[in-house]
Amino acid sequence: MKSNKQIEQAYRWARERFAAVGVDTEAALARLSGLRVSLHCWQGDDVRGFESAADAPGGGLAVTGAYPGRARTPEELRQDAEKAFSLIPGRHRFNLHAIYGEFGGRKVERNEIGVEHFRGWIEWARGLGLGLDFNPTCFAHPLASDGFTLSHPDRSVRRYWIEHCQRCREIGAAMGRALGTPAVTNVWIPDGMKDTPADRRGPRERLLESLDEVFRKPLPSRYNLDSVEGKLFGIGAESYTVGMHEFYLGYAVTRRKWLCLDAGHYHPTESLADKISSVLTYVPGILLHVSRGVRWDSDHVVILNDDLLAIAQELVRGRYLDRTRLGLDFFDASINRVAAWVIGARSFLRALLTALLEPWPEYQRLERAGDYTGRLAWMEEAKNLPYGAVWDYHCLRSGVPAGMAWLEEVREYERKVLSRRS
């Protein structure tokens, strides 16, 4: 492991290298320090939640693996998240689904949940200086067992899920009000069909009507930001997804809602990065759910690959960071769950730092001048810049382990805490 002195020496050299190409590393680090990544609660317990009958997630979701140490209570989940946050540079956010309320062992219908079930989460977040985000849970429930919720043909079932989503918006707004930072309340539903439908129109018209009812009550944007999320397909909805990307893009544009772009919710050959400038031409903001699909929407732990770097580059080069909320969305029960959070968050932050350190104004200057040869040459040469030395220094300055030193802390936490969970 590098010593602090070695990290500082390497950073001084890197700062000079970047300055030679017109990049201010201190400005990049200051910008990175202000970015907030929302860690997703469902990585810590395999999307089970804390309802009285918590079980496997359903709704087209599948978590593979049986690594020991899954969080079983809100207290354990908060403890695990705190450990992860302690190993990630910066101050961030935490993203909750509605099934993660503290219900005291009682059965509480989802259309009856309230902010009182999330007071513990709010106080925890306040103590750590975190923001919270929120999501209705329209899956893993008897009234979602046939694969339809807000687009259900039965009006009474639709009403149940409308009321659930309405209550979730109120909870999100209460979180934003209490913590002084608006919560993104993101609506995703699993509605769809396994085989070819005879009627594609009806469910989408019902979904449109339901969403309008969900969002009927205005809530202050300083407390709550409404977001909608599409998907390509799911397990049990391979042939038809009611809320596909085009549906929600149209909804977000016409209703002035934020649009959630999930990296796993498109065809494998589609580029999420390429969609960012397109949708932000029309919608007020985007929520990113950063994931990693392997052959399909498999929600693998995020790594610093070309896809992730392309997303970060588009956000920086297009100057979109101020209109974007950053979040993770994956679940892997085959490895240490705390490590999964840390690997994913640190990878995303490294991608963002790399994008902030690129001499991208020079790329754009050459492009505007029609010098595509120079643009390509600069883009390739920039790959040689010492990004890792700046990242290590950022970790050091943020008071978290640089390099691989964080892994031993996770392993020690596993020995002392996770291994004792039966």
Side-chain angles (χ1 to χ4, degrees):
M1 298 298 176
K2 297 176 184 176
S3 68
N4 291 355
K5 183 177 180 180
Q6 288 173 318
I7 291 172
E8 290 168 350
Q9 288 175 337
Y11 173 69
R12 286 194 292 271
W13 170 76
R15 184 173 59 191
E16 293 176 1
R17 283 283 311 276
F18 280 103
V21 295
V23 175
D24 182 345
T25 58
E26 287 298 313
L29 289 173
R31 188 71 175 99
L32 183 68
S33 295
L35 299 179
R36 308 284 182 257
V37 175
S38 197
L39 266 64
H40 51 311
C41 68
W42 48 95
Q43 165 57 39
D45 80 324
D46 307 342
V47 205
R48 291 178 180 267
F50 304 121
E51 291 182 321
S52 57
D55 204 346
L61 306 174
V63 182
T64 54
Y67 200 90
R70 177 179 68 85
R72 303 159 299 179
T73 66
E75 292 79 13
E76 288 182 350
L77 185 57
R78 287 193 281 261
Q79 182 183 19
D80 294 350
E82 285 186 40
K83 186 60 185 178
F85 280 125
S86 75
L87 301 172
I88 300 166
R91 182 174 295 177
H92 300 288
R93 305 178 65 86
F94 201 62
N95 192 8
L96 289 166
H97 249 282
I99 56 174
Y100 288 79
E102 298 184 71
F103 305 112
R106 299 184 301 276
K107 179 177 175 56
V108 178
E109 282 296 337
R110 292 191 194 168
N111 65 344
E112 295 177 354
I113 62 171
V115 67
E116 65 273 16
H117 300 115
F118 296 89
R119 292 289 183 198
W121 286 107
I122 292 172
E123 293 308 312
W124 171 74
R126 180 184 286 118
L128 294 179
L130 305 173
L132 290 176
D133 298 306
F134 202 60
N135 308 263
T137 307
C138 298
F139 55 85
H141 189 278
L143 290 181
S145 61
D146 60 359
F148 289 90
T149 59
L150 289 177
S151 69
H152 202 286
D154 187 325
R155 184 182 298 272
S156 65
V157 175
R158 292 202 305 277
R159 171 50 50 185
Y160 179 92
W161 292 111
I162 288 169
E163 292 173 356
H164 172 63
C165 292
Q166 288 172 333
R167 284 183 170 265
C168 288
R169 292 182 69 231
E170 297 282 1
I171 293 168
M175 290 173 170
R177 185 182 302 109
L179 298 173
T181 174
V184 176
T185 303
N186 181 53
V187 175
W188 172 80
I189 61 172
D191 298 31
M193 289 188 178
K194 183 174 181 65
D195 218 331
T196 306
D199 176 18
R200 297 175 184 270
R201 176 178 176 176
R204 287 181 174 141
E205 290 183 344
R206 292 192 293 270
L207 177 55
L208 174 66
E209 181 182 316
S210 294
L211 289 170
D212 282 348
E213 186 64 18
V214 166
F215 297 122
R216 179 176 54 83
K217 180 180 177 180
L219 294 174
S221 60
R222 65 183 182 276
Y223 301 140
N224 179 76
L225 299 171
D226 291 313
S227 173
V228 290
E229 177 181 359
K231 190 168 184 176
L232 178 63
F233 78 99
I235 299 173
E238 291 87 352
S239 297
Y240 171 65
T241 297
V242 181
M244 63 189 298
H245 171 74
E246 289 76 6
F247 176 92
Y248 281 121
L249 175 60
Y251 192 85
V253 169
T254 57
R255 271 59 172 181
R256 305 302 296 162
K257 301 299 180 187
W258 283 48
L259 183 67
C260 177
L261 301 178
D262 186 302
H265 287 188
Y266 303 97
H267 288 283
T269 56
E270 286 187 276
S271 167
L272 186 151
D274 193 36
K275 299 179 186 299
I276 291 172
S277 61
S278 295
V279 301
L280 280 173
T281 303
Y282 301 103
V283 303
I286 59 171
L287 167 65
L288 286 182
H289 274 188
V290 180
S291 180
R292 176 169 58 106
V294 176
R295 303 188 186 277
W296 69 292
D297 178 26
S298 52
D299 283 312
H300 281 62
V301 177
V302 169
I303 60 173
L304 183 52
N305 59 10
D306 288 345
D307 292 336
L308 184 65
L309 186 56
I311 291 170
Q313 288 168 332
E314 186 62 25
L315 293 175
V316 172
R317 295 174 186 175
R319 297 177 294 281
Y320 292 127
L321 284 168
D322 291 336
R323 295 172 58 197
T324 304
R325 283 294 192 88
L326 311 170
L328 303 178
D329 185 359
F330 51 79
F331 30 88
D332 189 344
S334 70
I335 64 174
N336 182 294
R337 296 170 182 82
V338 174
W341 269 326
V342 176
I343 292 168
R346 287 173 68 115
S347 295
F348 193 17
L349 290 168
R350 285 167 60 204
L352 290 163
L353 178 60
T354 299
L356 289 165
L357 288 169
E358 282 188 319
W360 57 268
E362 182 65 14
Y363 303 165
Q364 295 182 345
R365 184 191 70 78
L366 292 165
E367 184 170 280
R368 286 192 294 269
D371 185 357
Y372 302 149
T373 304
R375 180 190 62 186
L376 180 59
W378 267 84
M379 285 182 170
E380 286 303 296
E381 189 61 29
K383 293 175 181 177
N384 251 355
L385 290 169
Y387 302 101
V390 183
W391 169 255
D392 284 346
Y393 182 71
H394 176 59
C395 290
L396 177 64
R397 196 158 68 174
S398 301
V400 304
M404 290 297 295
W406 65 267
L407 183 57
E408 184 50 43
E409 288 202 31
V410 170
R411 286 175 169 158
E412 182 67 12
Y413 183 76
E414 181 173 334
R415 287 190 289 269
K416 292 183 176 179
V417 178
L418 302 180
S419 65
R420 299 181 181 181
R421 297 176 186 171
S422 57

